């Protein structure tokens, strides 16, 4: 079940955001950077995202928040898609994409960005039907860290 985030659930979202970000980025960012991504800091980042036009949603398993996703209807971007590490591989990321992609197609061609070194996320997005555009933003030349843009392309019925 996916519900719009509110003031009562933003702290849960901050916990999901921090835990998932730390787990998915631990192999290519420093320990100091990981430690900065606390639940409290991520709540503030979510508040800023809301000011920038993001609509935020939580994914629940029963009464437990297990994932989050953000939609920016102004830009057409799907982002802030995070799942609690203990719930990875259980279909929650796909459930959130199943929610997000149709919502975004009402407004524009859906797109998202992903770090080039986040192979798990890239595999999920590509399997779902997102295709790399070739657009990238270099975040760190030293660490070969880039943000890649992917757009959603509908799959044919035969796929």
């Amino acid at each position: 079940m996916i519900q719009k985030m509110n003031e009562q659930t933003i702290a849960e979202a901050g916990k999901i955001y921090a835990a998932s970000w730390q787990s998915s980025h631990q192999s290519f960012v420093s320990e100091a950077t990981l430690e900065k991504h606390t639940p409290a800091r991520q709540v503030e980042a979510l508040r800023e995202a809301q000011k920038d036009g993001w609509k935020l949603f939580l994914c629940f398993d029963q009464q437990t928040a297990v994932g989050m996703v953000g939609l920016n209807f102004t830009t057409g971007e799907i982002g802030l898609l995070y799942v609690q590490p203990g719930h990875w591989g259980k279909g929650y990321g796909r459930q959130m994409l199943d929610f997000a992609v149709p919502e975004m197609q009402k407004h524009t061609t859906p797109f998202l960005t992903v770090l080039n070194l986040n192979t798990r996320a890239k595999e999920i997005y590509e399997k779902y039907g997102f295709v790399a555009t070739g657009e990238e933003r270099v975040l760190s030349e030293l660490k070969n860290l880039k943000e890649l843009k992917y757009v959603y392309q509908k799959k044919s019925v035969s796929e």
Side-chain angles (χ1 to χ4, degrees):
M1 166 177 58
I2 297 182
Q3 294 180 344
K4 191 168 185 186
M5 193 178 310
N6 58 41
E7 201 50 43
Q8 289 74 40
T9 58
I10 198 166
E12 276 305 305
K15 291 176 191 174
I16 292 167
Y17 191 177
S20 183
W21 195 95
Q22 290 171 347
S23 291
S24 64
H25 291 64
Q26 68 183 342
S27 66
F28 52 86
V29 300
S30 70
E31 187 67 33
T33 300
L34 289 174
E35 289 174 2
K36 289 179 185 176
H37 286 78
T38 64
R41 179 176 181 224
Q42 300 312 84
V43 165
E44 290 310 310
L46 292 173
R47 290 187 197 288
E48 288 301 313
Q50 288 175 316
K51 290 178 188 174
D52 290 338
W54 287 87
K55 305 299 180 206
L56 305 172
F57 300 87
L58 283 172
C59 178
F60 289 86
D61 176 14
Q62 311 273 336
Q63 299 297 317
T64 304
V66 296
M68 61 172 289
V69 64
L71 306 177
N72 189 317
F73 292 105
T74 303
T75 64
E77 185 173 3
I78 298 168
L80 300 165
L81 198 156
Y82 293 101
V83 176
Q84 277 284 10
H87 294 276
W88 286 359
K90 296 181 180 179
Y92 295 110
R94 180 171 187 84
Q95 184 179 341
M96 289 185 288
L97 287 172
D98 286 346
F99 166 78
V101 168
E103 286 293 316
M104 295 311 289
Q105 284 184 316
K106 295 175 185 174
H107 302 276
T108 187
T109 302
F111 77 93
L112 51 79
T113 59
V114 62
L115 296 178
N116 62 312
L117 300 178
N118 192 345
T119 55
R120 179 182 181 86
K122 287 186 343 185
E123 288 172 8
I124 291 167
Y125 298 144
E126 289 168 4
K127 186 175 179 181
Y128 195 86
F130 284 88
V131 177
T133 66
E135 293 178 57
E136 58 184 45
R137 183 171 65 114
V138 175
L139 301 175
S140 170
E141 287 188 30
L142 181 64
K143 295 183 179 183
N144 186 34
L145 190 59
K146 302 172 188 169
E147 188 176 71
L148 309 176
K149 183 176 180 179
Y150 278 68
V151 295
Y152 179 71
Q153 293 187 346
K154 290 181 183 179
K155 292 187 174 188
S156 68
V157 176
S158 62
E159 290 184 67

